[in-house]
Amino acid sequence: MTIHIGAEPGQIAETVLLPGDPYRARWAAQTFLQDAELVNEVRGMLGYTGTWNGHRVTIQGSGMGMPSLSIYANELIRDYNAQTLIRIGSCGAMQADVNIRDVILAMTASSLSTPSSGIFKEFNFAPPADWGLLSAAAQAAESKGISTHVGGIYSADVFYDERPDLNEQMTRHGILAVEMEAAELYNLAARYGRRALALLTVSDHLQTHEALPADQREQSFGDMVEIALTAAFA
Ligand code: ADE
């Protein structure tokens, strides 16, 4: 057990999927895993371990924002020996050719600050995704006929951003979308030599102000879980 995860040693798999929302963790585990067992409910941040096509997988909620994700990813890596960590989340599109429901494979994650900023200070460390996971996810999405974009994303510190000029600069520099967790996940994977990837469904568009209707979120989220599982064991 750790401060934030109640699982016993051995109850967490080496492959961990990380949705922000703990209810999404429960839905994904009940929908995609065999013999899913609840392994964490500390603070309601649900985590389940089961098998997918015979492979052990944990699906653990990470909460919203990099400070929260950092807690779970640190403990999963350092205390439970997680080797492959895939964020499955949502994002806001920042380019005109990126549409609601599209899936983004985050090759890099830019940020203004992360919980790791204390290490880097003024240095602008650019943490990337794991190439093997990224290319396997691109192939899995293509074979399922799911429209994807591969490129850079931006991990913001705030959802209600009072600095629209920063978003404009991100768009100008080709950033595909904004979310709030991936940069710290990639920092931690780089630090501890683990594999990481962020898969993001576009839930809203910063330019058109469109948003994915609530009744269509489950289907898009399910597509992403399948891509993540296929890529993890490719
Ligand atoms: N996650 C989903 N949509 C987002 C947005 N517009 N900004 C930050 N994080 C998000």
Side-chain angles (χ1 to χ4, degrees), residues 87 90-93 156 158-159 178-180 203-204 206:
R87 163 162 160 70
S90 60
C91 64
V158 287
F159 189 92
V178 56
E179 53 86 82
M180 299 184 70
S203 62
D204 53 279
L206 270 65

Side-chain angles (χ1 to χ4, degrees), residues 110-193:
S110 298
S111 60
L112 199 55
S113 71
T114 72
S116 298
S117 299
I119 295 178
F120 299 119
K121 301 192 173 64
E122 73 282 2
F123 183 73
N124 184 17
F125 180 66
D130 176 82
W131 166 245
L133 285 177
L134 182 69
S135 58
Q139 277 174 31
E142 193 180 343
S143 68
K144 290 175 202 302
I146 296 164
S147 175
T148 58
H149 304 263
V150 182
I153 58 131
Y154 163 49
S155 298
D157 294 326
V158 287
F159 189 92
Y160 297 105
D161 201 338
E162 302 292 335
R163 294 184 44 171
D165 55 318
L166 185 61
N167 285 343
E168 276 170 28
Q169 290 301 340
M170 293 293 118
T171 300
R172 184 174 169 221
H173 288 82
I175 291 293
L176 298 173
V178 56
E179 53 86 82
M180 299 184 70
E181 291 82 14
E184 176 66 356
L185 178 63
Y186 288 8
N187 280 335
L188 292 170
R191 192 172 313 151
Y192 292 104

Side-chain angles (χ1 to χ4, degrees), residues 30-42:
Q30 290 173 349
T31 307
F32 293 98
L33 302 188
Q34 284 86 53
D35 303 320
E37 181 196 358
L38 180 69
V39 294
N40 183 48
E41 53 183 336
V42 175

Side-chain angles (χ1 to χ4, degrees), residues 2 9-10 12-16 72-85 192-194:
T2 59
I12 301 283
E14 285 193 357
T15 298
V16 183
Y72 294 100
N74 260 293
E75 293 180 12
L76 288 164
I77 289 171
R78 300 196 309 186
D79 299 295
Y80 291 99
N81 197 31
Q83 297 293 327
T84 297
L85 299 99
Y192 292 104
R194 310 301 160 99

